[in-house]
């Protein structure tokens, strides 16, 4: 079943399936589970693994491993489903799932905010989280150049704020009372402006404002379509270190011969940054040089080469930058136990000796 269909079915029953990302119209639940997809509401609801109550998986030897219970707590020994969630189809094939739904929120409010200084991006996150008392569900960061690209033609979306700020944050609150929550967000923004944490803000007043704001963030294709030989990243970095890490990486990337564009943005409340990089050619040498700049600092700062998109083939060589040899050895033991002939997605994620 396609993710968007699950979202709609939940909505028709006054419920919410909170998993949400740009590919919702094509991604299947099996794919989302296998990649442990994250997306736009992880800060509040968690990644796919926290939205799965039960799972049926078919193993390579034909065994049907079925645990389709609808219970939340189950500490009866190992939680086997979690081994398959995020394993990118290398350990078994997901055939059924019991998903965890939430009560549908009765209010949805969003605002675009202009901020200078990364310390203020962090400060505003803490401020918003405290003030919204559990209803903050999205906190997306867009760097200035990326914001400009997302809001100038051929993009069909116009900019809701001027281009005067270093960072643009799109926040979302999901609550219980539309009028009250709208005022609460308005007051919060006034408070943050008063304390000079933020420079400017614009609140979505209508559903079409909400669509406009979120289309800007979700339509990454508008950037990708303007970058030749696009190379993508999905890294995790401890939140306070993101500003400097991205500034350093962007500077180094722009100095590389053959790099034409660098566009960072991300799910910053989760410490997750995406990059789209445009290039003059598709050479392996250029690709590796870019990988070294982006992945190089991650080990020292305790980051990850994949926040939510997985390892697949492209990031296999960099797994050891964020996983210890002992962890990788245990992963290989698991692969050998579940798929000794390496027939499931062979060569992806980790290699085993046959
Ligand atoms: C425009 C766009 C935006 C995106 N934004 C985000 C985002 O914000 N956050 C995020 O986390 N991800 C994002 N993604 C990635 C997205 O999570 C994955 O593309 C999607 O979840 C995978 O689902 P799929 O059905 O397309 O799987 P596929 O692409 O078909 O498969 C993905 C992997 O899972 C395996 N697989 C698929 N189905 C099964 C199954 N039933 N059992 C076992 N293995 C299986 C496949 O073999 C493959 O290795 C985005 C992708 C796009 C294209």
């Amino acid at each position: 079943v396609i993710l968007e269909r699950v979202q709609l079915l939940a909505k028709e029953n006054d419920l919410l399936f909170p998993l949400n990302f740009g590919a919702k119209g094509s991604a299947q639940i099996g794919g989302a589970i296998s990649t442990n997809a994250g997306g736009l509401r992880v800060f509040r609801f968690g990644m796919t693994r926290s939205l799965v109550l039960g799972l049926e998986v078919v193993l390579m030897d034909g065994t049907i491993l079925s645990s389709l219970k609808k219970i939340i707590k189950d500490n009866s020994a190992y939680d086997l489903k979690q081994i398959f969630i995020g394993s990118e189809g290398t350990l078994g094939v997901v055939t059924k799932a019991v998903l965890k739904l939430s009560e549908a929120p009765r209010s949805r409010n969003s605002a675009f905010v202009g901020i200078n200084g990364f310390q203020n991006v962090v400060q505003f996150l803490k401020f918003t989280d405290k003030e919204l008392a559990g209803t903050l569900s999205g906190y997306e960061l867009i760097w200035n150049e990326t914001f400009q690209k997302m809001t100038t033609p051929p993009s069909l979306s116009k900019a809701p704020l001027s281009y005067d700020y270093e960072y643009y944050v799109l926040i979302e609150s999901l609550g219980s009372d539309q009028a009250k929550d709208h005022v609460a967000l308005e007051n919060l923004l006034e408070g943050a402006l008063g304390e000079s944490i933020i420079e400017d803000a614009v609140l979505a007043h209508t559903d079409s404002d909400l669509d406009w704001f979120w289309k800007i963030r979700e339509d990454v294709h508008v950037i990708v379509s303007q970058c030749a030989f696009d190379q993508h990243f999905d890294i995790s970095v401890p939140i306070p270190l993101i500003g400097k890490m991205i500034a350093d990486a962007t500077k180094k990337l722009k100095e590389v011969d053959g790099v034409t564009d660098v566009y960072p943005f991300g799910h910053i409340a989760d410490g997750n940054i995406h990059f789209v990089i445009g290039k003059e050619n598709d050479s392996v040498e250029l690709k590796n040089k870019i990988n070294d700049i982006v992945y190089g600092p991650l080990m020292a700062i305790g980051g990850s080469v994949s926040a939510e998109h997985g390892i697949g083939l492209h990031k296999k060589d960099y797994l050891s930058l964020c996983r210890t040899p002992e962890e990788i050895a245990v992963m290989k033991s698991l692969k050998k136990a579940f798929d000794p002939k390496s027939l499931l997605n062979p060569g992806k994620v980790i290699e085993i000796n046959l």
Side-chain angles (χ1 to χ4, degrees):
V1 59
I2 301 284
L3 170 59
E4 198 166 36
R5 174 105 185 102
V6 179
Q7 292 176 341
L8 288 174
L9 280 172
K11 198 172 173 191
E12 278 167 27
N13 289 280
D14 202 21
L15 292 163
L16 174 76
F17 184 60
L19 186 65
N20 193 27
F21 49 82
K24 59 179 177 254
S26 60
Q28 295 184 322
I29 288 299
I33 289 173
S34 303
T35 54
N36 185 30
L40 301 163
R41 289 176 180 157
V42 170
F43 178 69
R44 176 150 169 208
F45 297 99
M47 298 192 46
T48 303
R49 72 169 73 256
S50 58
L51 302 171
V52 176
L53 294 178
L55 205 64
E56 181 186 274
V57 181
V58 179
L59 304 185
M60 204 53 224
D61 65 3
T63 304
I64 298 174
L65 205 61
S66 185
S67 173
L68 294 169
K69 292 180 198 160
K70 297 177 183 173
I71 54 178
I72 293 167
K73 295 172 104 174
D74 188 0
N75 270 354
S76 53
Y78 308 138
D79 190 349
L80 294 177
K81 66 178 178 296
Q82 294 297 349
I83 293 171
F84 298 95
I85 302 173
S87 70
E88 299 176 49
T90 59
L91 301 179
V93 177
V94 173
T95 46
K96 280 183 192 163
V98 180
L99 303 177
K100 185 178 167 203
L101 305 174
S102 304
E103 292 304 322
R106 285 196 291 261
S107 78
R108 181 177 176 217
N109 286 284
S110 277
F112 245 118
V113 178
I115 300 183
N116 285 332
F118 192 78
Q119 73 284 0
N120 282 328
V121 172
V122 179
Q123 183 65 18
F124 186 54
L125 170 60
K126 288 166 76 70
F127 184 87
T128 316
D129 192 21
K130 199 178 277 181
E131 294 295 319
L132 291 180
T135 61
L136 178 65
S137 16
Y139 192 94
E140 297 291 313
L141 183 65
I142 308 175
W143 273 253
N144 179 298
E145 270 183 64
T146 315
F147 182 72
Q148 293 201 30
K149 203 75 181 168
M150 285 173 159
T151 53
T152 46
S155 166
L156 299 175
S157 305
K158 60 183 173 50
L161 289 170
S162 74
Y163 293 137
D164 297 332
Y165 313 109
E166 278 181 77
Y167 302 101
Y168 295 82
V169 170
L170 177 56
I171 56 175
E172 178 187 69
S173 77
L174 296 176
S176 58
D177 184 320
Q178 185 60 36
K180 224 169 91 189
D181 296 339
H182 192 79
V183 172
L185 187 54
E186 199 164 25
N187 291 341
L188 175 156
L189 295 171
E190 273 174 22
L193 279 164
E195 291 186 29
S196 300
I197 303 171
I198 63 175
E199 304 297 321
D200 200 358
V202 55
L203 200 55
H205 292 289
T206 60
D207 281 351
S208 72
D209 285 352
L210 281 174
D211 290 346
W212 167 29
F213 287 8
W214 281 95
K215 191 167 186 334
I216 292 173
R217 169 57 187 86
E218 288 186 51
D219 191 9
V220 176
H221 181 71
V222 81
I223 296 185
V224 176
S225 63
Q226 294 177 75
C227 290
F229 307 108
D230 47 304
Q231 194 169 333
H232 297 238
F233 290 92
D234 160 48
I235 56 172
S236 255
V237 171
I239 296 172
L241 309 185
I242 290 173
K244 182 169 176 349
M245 194 262 166
I246 300 302
D248 291 350
T250 303
K251 185 168 175 290
K252 283 185 190 158
L253 288 165
K254 285 182 173 172
E255 286 165 6
V256 173
D257 235 9
V259 170
T260 54
D261 307 85
V262 180
Y263 296 115
F265 55 95
H267 315 295
I268 240 60
D270 314 323
N272 179 189
I273 308 109
H274 295 302
F275 270 107
V276 176
I277 295 173
K279 300 181 295 188
E280 281 169 2
N281 64 69
D282 206 17
S283 75
V284 174
E285 196 197 347
L286 180 57
K287 195 179 285 175
N288 289 344
K289 207 178 263 183
I290 293 170
N291 278 343
D292 290 344
I293 291 173
V294 178
Y295 294 143
L298 293 177
M299 193 184 221
I301 61 177
S304 172
V305 297
S306 172
E308 57 181 17
H309 291 170
I311 292 298
L313 293 170
H314 291 173
K315 291 176 214 152
K316 232 170 46 170
D317 292 344
Y318 299 91
L319 186 60
S320 59
L321 289 179
C322 55
R323 294 296 200 165
T324 63
E326 293 78 12
E327 284 179 299
I328 293 173
V330 171
M331 289 181 199
K332 287 185 176 179
S333 307
L334 280 173
K335 177 71 177 170
K336 272 186 195 152
F338 285 110
D339 182 21
K341 292 185 184 157
S342 198
L343 298 171
L344 286 163
N345 272 343
K348 289 192 183 164
V349 188
I350 46 165
E351 300 270 1
I352 53 166
N353 297 327
L354 296 175

